């Protein structure tokens, strides 16, 4: 087939998850893989989100790979530019560029049950792979709510994750829709230059001060000269957050003191009682993500900022109308309305063993085994899958745990392929194992602040289930994903068949795995012991 490449593993996405998977594959001795990326460079969400003020709300030394420490973080909480540069550095340090296939948007992935491999269609040709690692991430596809009149708005409209840097906001009347993690960074960054800023707030967030500062030259020299000091710093940051977990997952009532601190933070900047009432949440802190900013409240107190405590309902010409009837004329609308998290578009492009898409399988809610594999989708694994998100710590910790699981998954496949008569094998997550894992997770979720805290958040799906967060510590998740339990999988095998030649990809550093000739549907199914 013209413009076709067969590889052992196809990784989808080149953010932290995809690059981490690529590094781990190389460290496992697997070099026959590609990283399919729809954009023209690596970086994932840190490439896409370049809005003014964009920064991480997790400390820099914890928001980086343990196997690629960075002693030169310039700030304790790094900005988008430095995080993106770090990911470029990881790409070069671990020699990942030959594996990259940039501008390759995945249009469809189909499981071939006879050949025991995935057929992948991209915008620039086709691939086949024994294993697919989907690392597209939950914060990759922006969500703009459907709204009457929006299409006819004569001004500028864009999402925070697709910032239009060519549009000058100076002196403009701007509507900022949403009060999430992006909005609280954007508001103070653009407030000094816009003529008028109207913030449309459906639900106020809890905001704590962001204790950001420059990392001193002495600190950086120390971390370079004595790497163990950087490791110690990372360990302390991790340990503090591990100790916080029980309040979120078991004892939400203990968060009352934190609420008092957040209210004091607001009172220092917001002197107007009416505005303070608008900005005070009515739900338990932690139910939505606790946001960090020392500039958000001061910006809201400026005379060119209005807070409308109601969501945007419709657009009439250049007038935006809130649900409470408030009308405002604006020149631009910026949506900070989040992403398709519980309804990821990539799920519509994955067709499994029974001919159903992943979106169809997940129509009643996302479910996976240990946040990694889904029933009906053999040899398919996701990084940052269902119930792997965190409410108070670094997602890099969860990603690295999933990379451990990926590494053992590949080892098990290698052993099974050599043991079997056909020389090829696939692992299919048992529906019973997926169900048991998710029942356990959801039972634990009932006690958490995310379910019992009295709010509606993007953590919850359309059925009110929290299918995004992990209801435990990161160390517990690491224990749960350290090894693949073959009892939770069915082993699929193909009988021996004559070898066929497969076109080799230019990026492979070892001979590509050979695909088998077509086999009859009577492949053997083996129960894993």
């Amino acid at each position: 087939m013209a413009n076709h490449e067969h590889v052992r593993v196809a990784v989808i996405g080149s953010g932290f998850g995809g690059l981490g998977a690529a590094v781990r594959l190389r460290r496992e001795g697997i070099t026959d893989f590609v990283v399919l990326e729809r954009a023209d460079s690596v970086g994932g969400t840190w490439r896409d989100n370049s809005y003014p003020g964009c920064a991480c709300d997790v400390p820099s030394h914890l928001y980086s790979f343990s196997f690629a420490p960075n002693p030169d973080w310039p700030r304790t909480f790094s900005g988008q530019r430095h995080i993106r540069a770090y990911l470029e550095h990881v790409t070069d340090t671990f020699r990942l560029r030959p594996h990259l296939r940039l501008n390759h948007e995945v249009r469809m992935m189909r499981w071939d049950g006879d050949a025991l491999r995935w057929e992948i269609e991209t915008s620039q040709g086709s691939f086949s792979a024994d294993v697919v690692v989907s690392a597209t991430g939950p914060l990759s596809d922006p969500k703009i709510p459907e709204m009457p009149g929006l299409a006819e708005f004569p001004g500028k409209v864009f999402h925070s994750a697709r910032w239009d840097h060519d549009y000058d906001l100076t002196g403009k009347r701007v509507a900022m829709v949403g009060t999430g993690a992006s909005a609280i960074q954007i508001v103070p960054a653009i407030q000094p230059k816009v003529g008028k800023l109207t913030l449309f707030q459906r639900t106020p967030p809890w905001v704590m001060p962001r204790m950001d500062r420059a990392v001193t030259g002495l600190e950086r020299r120390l971390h370079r000269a004595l790497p163990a000091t950087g490791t110690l710093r990372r360990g302390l940051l991790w340990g503090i957050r591990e100790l916080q977990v029980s309040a979120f997952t078991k004892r939400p009532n203990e968060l009352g003191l934190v609420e008092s601190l957040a209210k004091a933070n607001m009172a220092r900047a917001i002197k107007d009682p009416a505005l303070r009432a608008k900005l005070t949440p009515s739900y338990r802190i932690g139910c939505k993500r606790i946001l960090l900013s020392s500039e958000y409240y001061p910006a809201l107190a400026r005379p060119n900022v209005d807070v409308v405590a109601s969501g945007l309902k419709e657009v009439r010409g250049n007038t935006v109308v809130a649900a409470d009837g408030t009308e405002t004329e604006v020149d631009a609308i910026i949506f900070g309305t989040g992403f398709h998290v519980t309804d990821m578009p990539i799920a519509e492009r994955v067709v499994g063993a029974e001919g159903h898409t992943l979106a169809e399988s997940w129509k009643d809610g996302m479910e996976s085994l240990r946040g990694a594999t889904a029933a009906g989708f053999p040899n398919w694994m996701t990084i940052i899958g269902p119930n792997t998100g965190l409410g108070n710590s670094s997602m890099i910790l969860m990603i690295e745990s999933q990379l451990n699981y990926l590494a053992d998954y590949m080892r098990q496949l290698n052993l099974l392929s050599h043991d079997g008569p056909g020389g090829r094998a696939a692992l299919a997550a048992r529906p019973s194992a997926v169900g048991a894992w998710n029942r356990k997770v959801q039972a634990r979720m009932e006690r958490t602040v995310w379910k019992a805290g009295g709010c509606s958040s993007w953590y919850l799906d359309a059925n009110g289930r929290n299918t995004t967060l992990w209801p435990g510590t990161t160390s517990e998740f690491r224990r749960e994903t350290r090894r693949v339990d073959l009892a939770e999988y069915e082993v699929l095998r193909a009988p021996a068949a004559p070898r066929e030649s497969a076109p080799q990809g230019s990026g492979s550093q070892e001979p590509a795995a050979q695909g088998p000739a077509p086999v009859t549907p009577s492949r053997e199914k083996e129960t894993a012991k």
Side-chain angles (χ1 to χ4, degrees), residues 70-97:
N70 179 16
D72 291 313
W73 287 117
R75 304 197 65 83
T76 53
F77 289 86
S78 290
Q80 176 264 347
R81 178 168 61 92
H82 295 106
I83 297 174
R84 184 178 180 185
Y86 170 77
L87 291 172
E88 293 280 1
H89 175 72
V90 168
T91 302
D92 291 328
T93 299
F94 292 94
R95 296 176 292 170
L96 302 181
R97 300 221 179 259

Side-chain angles (χ1 to χ4, degrees), residues 50-53 153 155-160 162-177 182-183 185-198 304 330-335:
S50 60
Y51 57 80
F153 177 66
K156 193 70 179 179
V157 178
F158 53 88
H159 190 278
S160 59
R162 300 292 184 267
W163 195 270
D164 188 340
H165 291 277
D166 294 328
Y167 184 75
D168 186 4
L169 292 172
T170 303
K172 297 294 196 301
R173 300 168 299 176
V174 179
M176 179 77 227
V177 184
S182 299
Q185 295 179 344
I186 293 169
V187 166
I190 68 174
Q191 174 270 320
K193 68 166 58 177
V194 303
K196 185 71 174 180
L197 178 60
T198 304
N304 68 332
V330 297
D331 304 305
I333 305 173
I334 302 172
F335 285 95

Side-chain angles (χ1 to χ4, degrees), residues 242 369-372 384-390 397-405 437 441 444 470-482:
E242 289 289 274
L369 175 59
R370 302 181 188 274
I384 314 184
N387 291 113
T388 60
L390 296 175
L397 300 169
M398 301 296 279
I399 289 173
E400 290 197 27
S401 292
Q402 293 198 286
L403 299 183
N404 291 339
Y405 197 76
W437 173 262
V441 169
R444 293 181 59 180
W470 168 245
T473 63
T474 61
S475 55
E476 181 183 5
F477 186 77
R478 180 152 296 197
R479 289 193 299 271
E480 295 281 8
T481 54
R482 192 174 299 279

Side-chain angles (χ1 to χ4, degrees), residues 8 410-425 493:
R8 177 65 169 155
M410 297 305 299
R411 293 184 203 118
Q412 297 294 341
L413 275 181
N414 187 54
L415 291 172
L416 290 166
S417 296
H418 283 89
D419 290 345
R424 294 177 64 82
R493 293 192 183 278

Side-chain angles (χ1 to χ4, degrees), residues 111-449:
W111 174 249
D112 184 336
D114 292 332
L116 294 187
R117 65 188 186 186
W118 286 91
E119 297 294 337
I120 306 168
E121 302 170 19
T122 79
S123 57
Q124 293 199 51
S126 64
F127 295 78
S128 56
D130 299 329
V131 176
V132 166
V133 179
S134 180
T136 58
L139 306 182
S140 56
D141 292 283
K143 178 188 293 184
I144 293 181
E146 295 184 5
M147 192 170 299
L150 181 61
E152 289 75 43
F153 177 66
K156 193 70 179 179
V157 178
F158 53 88
H159 190 278
S160 59
R162 300 292 184 267
W163 195 270
D164 188 340
H165 291 277
D166 294 328
Y167 184 75
D168 186 4
L169 292 172
T170 303
K172 297 294 196 301
R173 300 168 299 176
V174 179
M176 179 77 227
V177 184
T179 53
S182 299
I184 71 156
Q185 295 179 344
I186 293 169
V187 166
I190 68 174
Q191 174 270 320
K193 68 166 58 177
V194 303
K196 185 71 174 180
L197 178 60
T198 304
L199 177 67
F200 289 85
Q201 168 193 273
R202 284 195 308 174
T203 309
W206 286 105
V207 182
M208 296 287 286
R210 186 167 177 260
M211 310 303 289
D212 185 30
R213 64 170 178 84
V215 179
T216 66
L218 176 60
E219 289 174 280
R220 284 185 263 176
R221 288 194 297 273
L222 180 64
H223 294 331
R224 284 196 298 270
L226 298 172
T229 61
T231 303
L232 176 61
R233 184 174 189 161
R234 177 186 174 90
L236 289 173
L237 291 168
W238 166 78
I240 291 170
R241 282 153 182 79
E242 289 289 274
L243 293 174
Q244 298 170 348
V245 171
S246 63
F248 288 86
T249 60
K250 297 177 182 178
R251 295 182 290 274
N253 289 334
E254 293 182 358
L255 293 166
L257 175 60
V258 185
E259 284 184 10
S260 299
L261 296 174
K263 289 178 180 178
N265 177 48
M266 183 196 307
R268 280 191 291 269
I270 306 297
K271 305 304 181 184
D272 178 5
L275 179 56
R276 198 156 58 234
K278 286 183 181 180
L279 299 175
T280 301
S282 59
Y283 55 87
R284 174 63 75 190
I285 193 170
C287 186
K288 289 174 174 281
R289 188 175 181 92
I290 300 173
L291 305 182
L292 303 182
S293 176
S294 299
E295 295 82 28
Y296 179 63
Y297 288 140
L300 296 185
R302 302 301 296 170
N304 68 332
V305 178
D306 280 339
V307 177
V308 177
S310 179
L312 196 60
K313 179 182 179 181
E314 63 177 310
V315 180
R316 301 173 188 161
N318 65 345
T319 300
V320 291
V321 184
D324 66 0
T326 302
E327 297 185 3
T328 309
E329 290 190 358
V330 297
D331 304 305
I333 305 173
I334 302 172
F335 285 95
T337 45
F339 300 84
H340 290 276
V341 175
T342 59
D343 57 343
M344 293 185 291
I346 190 66
E348 299 174 357
R349 306 182 184 190
V350 185
V351 181
E354 304 301 323
H356 303 304
T357 66
L358 186 61
E360 291 170 330
S361 295
W362 282 353
K363 67 181 185 301
D364 295 324
M366 299 188 299
E367 286 191 344
S368 67
L369 175 59
R370 302 181 188 274
T373 55
F377 298 82
N379 280 12
W380 181 90
M381 182 178 294
T382 181
I383 305 295
I384 314 184
N387 291 113
T388 60
L390 296 175
N392 76 314
S393 193
S394 172
M395 279 305 302
I396 312 306
L397 300 169
M398 301 296 279
I399 289 173
E400 290 197 27
S401 292
Q402 293 198 286
L403 299 183
N404 291 339
Y405 197 76
L406 168 63
D408 197 52
Y409 192 97
M410 297 305 299
R411 293 184 203 118
Q412 297 294 341
L413 275 181
N414 187 54
L415 291 172
L416 290 166
S417 296
H418 283 89
D419 290 345
R424 294 177 64 82
L427 289 174
R430 293 182 177 278
S432 58
V434 176
W437 173 262
N438 282 277
R439 284 191 296 274
K440 180 173 71 171
V441 169
Q442 291 303 319
R444 293 181 59 180
M445 195 67 71
E446 293 301 316
R447 301 174 59 186
T448 69
V449 69

